Structures are given as C-alpha cells and as structure tokens.
Amino acid sequence: MPNVKTAATSKVPLGQKAAFGAGHLVLNLYPGALGFFMFFLLTAFGMDPFLAGLLGGLPRFFDAITDPIMGFISDNTSSKYGRRRPYIFVGGILSAITFVLLWQLDENNSSDYNFWYFLIMSMVFLIGNTMFATPLVGLGYEMTSDYNERTRLMAFSQTVGLLAWVIVPWFWVIIADPDIFPNQAEGVRTMALYVGIACLLLGLLPAMFCRGMDSANMQNRKKLSFKTVFTNLKELLVSIKEAVKNKPFMKLCGATFLVFNGYQIVASFSFFIFVFYIFNGSYEATSTWPAWFSSVGALVSAFLVIPIVSKMAEKWGKKKAFIIATALSIVGYAMKWWAFTPDNIWLSFVPIPLMSFGLGSLFTLMMSMTADVCDLDELVNGMPRKEGTFGALYWWVVKLGQGLALVLGGLVLKLIGFDGNAATQTVDTMTKLRVADIVIPIVTAALAIWIMWKYSLSEERAKDIKAQLEERRGVL
C-alpha cells in the first residue's frame, strides 16, 4: 500500500514535539543520573555494597505497583486540562524536589541512617516520577492518530531524550574531579541540585504545551474516588488482563525485553574491556575513553540512526524497519571482536553506528507501534482508551529488564572469574568477557527478530482500524 500523505489535522506542531521531547529528556536524565550517582554511595558516603545494591533493587518492586495504578488513573481522569497534563505538571514538580532531597546525604551520618533515608526518599521520588512519567508516555500515544506521524513524533522525542546519555557519562568525571569539588559528597549534592532544576524546567513544558485527544466525549470512564477504590481495583485488573491478551502488544513487550535486556546485561562490560584489555588495568591510561565511547554512541543514535529508522518505517513499515535495524546491530556487536584492540584505540568507535541501530531504533519504533495497539484495543474492548495502562505495562517490562540485567550481568562476571579488586585480569577471563560482551546481545537481538517476524499490525491494518473507530465514535 503506498504511503498516504499525513493530513494537516493529524500533524503534531513542532512546538508540541519539542515540549514532548523535553519531557523525554527528563525521563532519561533521572535514571541516568541515578545510575551514575549510585556509584558514589560507596565511595563518597561509605555505604556497604550489599546495602547499596538493595537501594538499587528494592524501589523497582514499588515502581512495578505504582505504574499500572497511575496509568489506570490517568486513563479515567476527567478535567478541563485533559487526562494527562495535570499529573505531568504536579509530578514534574514533585519529582524534581524529591530528587534533590534524595541526594542531600551527609557523609558523617551512619551507614544505616543514610540507607533508610535514601530508601524512604526513593519511594517518595518514585511516586512523583510515576505521576510524571506514566501520563507523559500515555500522552504521546494520543497526540496524533496518524500511523506515520506517530513514528515521527517518537523519533523526535527519542532524539531529544538521547541527549541525556551524551551528558550523564560525564557526571562521574565532574564529581570525581578535585579541582571542581572539594570532595565527592559535595559534588553529588551539588550536581543533584543542578539536575533537579533542569528537570523541573524541562518537565513542565509538556504539561503546558502538549495536547492529547479531546476526551470530552470519551465514554465509560470510571469514577475515581475513595468510595470506588475497590471497584476500580477490579477494573484495573480487567484492563491489565485485556492488555495481556493483546497479542501484538505482547510481541512488542517481548522484543523490547530481549533487545534492551541484552544490551543492559553487557552495558558495563565495555568499561572493563577498556580498562583491563585495552589499557591493561591502568585506570589512569583509560582516562575518559569510556565516557567518550558512551557519548559518541548516544550522539550517533540521536542524529544518525533515529532519522534513518524513521524514514525506513515510512517507506517499508515499522516491523520491517525494526527487523532491519536489529539485524544491523547484530553485525555491529560482532565487529567488536576485531575493533576492541590495544593496538588502536580508535577502532573501538568503528562498530558504534551499526550497534546503535539496535537500541537507537528500539523505543522510537516500539512506542509508535504501541500507539497503534491502543487503537486495536479500543476496537476490541471499547472505551475508555487505555494509553496510560499500555504505557505503564510497556515500561514495567523495560524496568523488569533493567532489574534482571543488574543481576545477570553480575552473575556473568562471577562465572567468567572476573575479580574487581585485582589490578589485572587473566587472559582467559578477558577472552570470556569479550565473548560474553558480543554473544549475549547478538542472541537476544536474534530472538527479538524471531518474535517480531509475524507481527500482524501493519500500516494497512492500522489505517483500517482507525477508519472503523472514527465511523463508530467520530474523530477524537
């Protein structure tokens, strides 16, 4: 079917795309900053490694509960400002304030005190972050009903969002520099303040400028009150069950889990390969090379991969674009065996463009396809539309992958005999680490392609669903 030109009424204005992209920059800045700051719980605040690990894992269980609840609430909200924007506004303020407070730890306090302070503040921060993030994702699914404009919107937002991963690798360099901060603890507290202010200003933009569907005539929304809490809990479970029964959506979740989890498991391996293989255990010689490697990867994804993938999706469809992009990433991962060499450090950057096609295209295409899935759900299950619920469940899968990756990554390092306290690693250990760094993401990417091979929600099918919905209830 030839591509049909997007109607003017279905196009998202550039200003709204920019505001939505600013929200996604915040979505990436928070976890990016958290990930890099967590290192300083050990070095700056003297936290026991086991307790620090608990602080990284326990809040995820809480997050897994709050996300679907917030998605259900935003789906069923009625207000003159829309279903999502009030929560984005309040959540943006709350998450910024609590993020700053989260990192105002005192290195002179006991480890137990800092543990409980951080754990409690993490829960409060996650409430605010969930209020912000879940409705924002749902808002993106409803900003346009056009098949290709959805991809363009997600491509724009992911390009802006990826800028966070250009910035955050340098937090470690800045905080650890004695010429900038007198000590690491002061560096963490100050940098947290800067991150909080930036996220506050950027996070309010989508609440102020983005527009979703007209929900005035949206039927069957549940009444939200303390009196109906148990009834609504039952309805929430029904909504989750309907989403799980949606086969195209489950394929998207499965493929995302595999690609993202495969990447996350080996995410730290490149750093170890730089230090112990390329620079033979010398942290001084390694210097800022890993930070440059991460930043260049994010830049290539943002300004090369995403625009190409967006065009591929328009020309060949989203499924084919995903399969091609993921296959290219497999080639890039395989090239690391020859590119990561002590003989020439610059060769390590050669596989980046191909590798970036995997993760760089993933969320652009998957979030666009999830918006299509929301249309299918309305056709099958009726109102209310459940963008918030689908968005919450999708990102729950992403967070589950992150949690499992932390465990599996550590397990792989243990199985290959990696010793973090050793000045150097054995040849056998480094060979096994390099093999794992390549094989794991290749296998998970190949499995993701297999899952998506028979994905059925094509452009023709998506446009047919849209026509049926508009005939049934008019244009929202």
Side-chain angles (χ1 to χ4, degrees):
M1 178 179 178
N3 288 322
V4 179
K5 186 176 181 180
T6 301
T9 55
S10 296
K11 290 184 178 180
V12 180
L14 181 60
Q16 290 191 42
K17 285 182 178 177
F20 186 62
H24 274 263
L25 181 55
V26 173
L27 289 184
N28 286 331
L29 270 175
Y30 277 136
L34 278 169
F36 279 89
F37 286 4
M38 290 294 282
F39 171 83
F40 295 101
L41 285 178
L42 281 68
T43 61
F45 300 104
M47 187 75 68
D48 178 88
F50 176 71
L51 293 179
L54 287 178
L55 291 175
L58 287 177
R60 296 184 188 278
F61 293 102
F62 181 68
D63 214 14
I65 298 171
T66 57
D67 279 4
I69 294 174
M70 189 66 243
F72 179 83
I73 291 173
S74 71
D75 284 339
N76 290 279
T77 292
S78 298
S79 85
K80 64 179 181 179
Y81 300 108
R83 296 188 294 168
R84 323 285 182 191
R85 293 164 61 212
Y87 299 112
I88 296 172
F89 187 86
V90 174
I93 295 173
L94 182 59
S95 56
I97 293 173
T98 52
F99 180 84
V100 175
L101 294 176
L102 175 65
W103 291 102
Q104 301 310 304
L105 297 168
D106 190 330
E107 62 273 29
N108 297 314
N109 290 333
S110 69
S111 181
D112 286 344
Y113 178 90
N114 280 340
F115 172 83
W116 286 107
Y117 173 87
F118 193 91
L119 181 61
I120 294 170
M121 286 304 301
S122 291
M123 302 300 185
V124 180
F125 165 72
L126 286 175
I127 291 173
N129 190 239
T130 297
M131 288 181 65
F132 172 80
T134 302
L136 178 67
V137 172
L139 179 63
Y141 294 152
E142 63 179 49
M143 287 176 67
T144 176
S145 61
D146 183 79
Y147 179 85
N148 288 314
E149 184 68 2
R150 283 170 170 168
T151 302
R152 290 189 284 265
L153 173 63
M154 297 306 171
F156 190 100
S157 66
Q158 291 301 311
T159 296
V160 177
L162 278 171
L163 295 178
W165 300 105
V166 179
I167 299 168
V168 294
W170 297 94
F171 287 170
W172 185 90
V173 177
I174 295 170
I175 292 171
D177 191 336
D179 293 329
I180 299 177
F181 295 109
N183 55 68
Q184 292 181 0
E186 183 63 28
V188 170
R189 289 190 289 264
T190 304
M191 289 300 295
L193 177 62
Y194 293 152
V195 171
I197 292 173
C199 288
L200 173 64
L201 297 176
L202 293 169
L204 295 180
L205 295 179
M208 296 167 62
F209 298 109
C210 291
R211 297 292 182 269
M213 286 183 172
D214 182 3
S215 59
N217 297 319
M218 201 169 288
Q219 302 172 354
N220 297 334
R221 280 179 287 182
K222 308 302 181 288
K223 185 177 181 181
L224 302 174
S225 69
F226 288 109
K227 292 182 180 180
T228 61
V229 63
F230 292 108
T231 303
N232 286 335
L233 179 60
K234 180 181 178 181
E235 294 293 338
L236 169 61
L237 296 176
V238 170
S239 295
I240 293 174
K241 182 179 179 181
E242 290 174 348
V244 171
K245 290 172 65 177
N246 190 308
K247 290 183 180 180
F249 178 63
M250 295 309 294
K251 285 182 179 290
L252 299 181
C253 289
T256 299
F257 178 85
L258 286 164
V259 173
F260 189 66
N261 200 33
Y263 168 82
Q264 287 288 103
I265 289 173
V266 303
S268 64
F269 291 7
S270 292
F271 173 77
F272 296 132
I273 291 172
F274 270 109
V275 175
F276 294 103
Y277 178 69
I278 295 178
F279 291 103
N280 198 31
S282 173
Y283 284 90
E284 183 179 359
T286 303
S287 185
T288 59
W289 282 106
W292 280 113
F293 184 80
S294 298
S295 294
V296 170
L299 284 169
V300 169
S301 294
F303 296 107
L304 176 66
V305 169
I306 290 178
I308 291 175
V309 168
S310 180
K311 293 296 183 182
M312 286 166 55
E314 286 189 40
K315 185 174 180 62
W316 298 316
K318 299 172 190 179
K319 184 183 83 170
K320 287 185 179 178
F322 171 80
I323 291 173
I324 293 170
T326 307
L328 289 173
S329 74
I330 290 176
V331 177
Y333 288 126
M335 288 174 61
K336 292 173 74 175
W337 182 259
W338 296 275
F340 275 43
T341 171
D343 298 330
N344 188 343
I345 182 64
W346 293 102
L347 284 178
S348 62
F349 290 83
V350 172
I352 285 178
L354 291 176
M355 288 167 51
S356 298
F357 269 94
L359 206 61
S361 67
L362 181 66
F363 295 114
T364 297
L365 295 172
M366 292 304 187
M367 291 183 69
S368 177
M369 285 190 274
T370 303
D372 300 332
V373 163
C374 292
D375 289 345
L376 175 62
D377 175 74
E378 184 193 343
L379 182 69
V380 174
N381 298 309
M383 293 284 193
R385 288 181 63 89
K386 296 193 285 287
E387 287 91 351
T389 299
F390 277 98
L393 292 174
Y394 178 82
W395 284 100
W396 181 84
V397 170
V398 173
K399 292 171 184 177
L400 175 64
Q402 287 178 313
L404 287 176
L406 291 173
V407 176
L408 294 175
L411 178 61
V412 171
L413 290 175
K414 182 176 179 64
L415 290 175
I416 66 174
F418 184 85
D419 185 357
N421 295 317
T424 59
Q425 306 293 327
T426 67
V427 173
D428 181 63
T429 294
M430 289 312 303
T431 300
K432 290 178 179 177
L433 180 64
R434 294 179 64 213
V435 170
D437 183 49
I438 293 169
V439 170
I440 291 174
I442 284 179
V443 170
T444 55
L447 288 173
I449 291 175
W450 175 71
I451 285 177
M452 289 297 294
W453 198 262
K454 293 186 178 180
Y455 178 79
S456 59
L457 202 50
S458 64
E459 180 174 358
E460 294 89 339
R461 174 66 174 144
K463 289 182 176 179
D464 179 59
I465 291 171
K466 177 184 176 182
Q468 290 183 61
L469 290 176
E470 291 182 349
E471 182 179 357
R472 176 196 292 178
R473 42 75 167 155
V475 179
L476 294 179

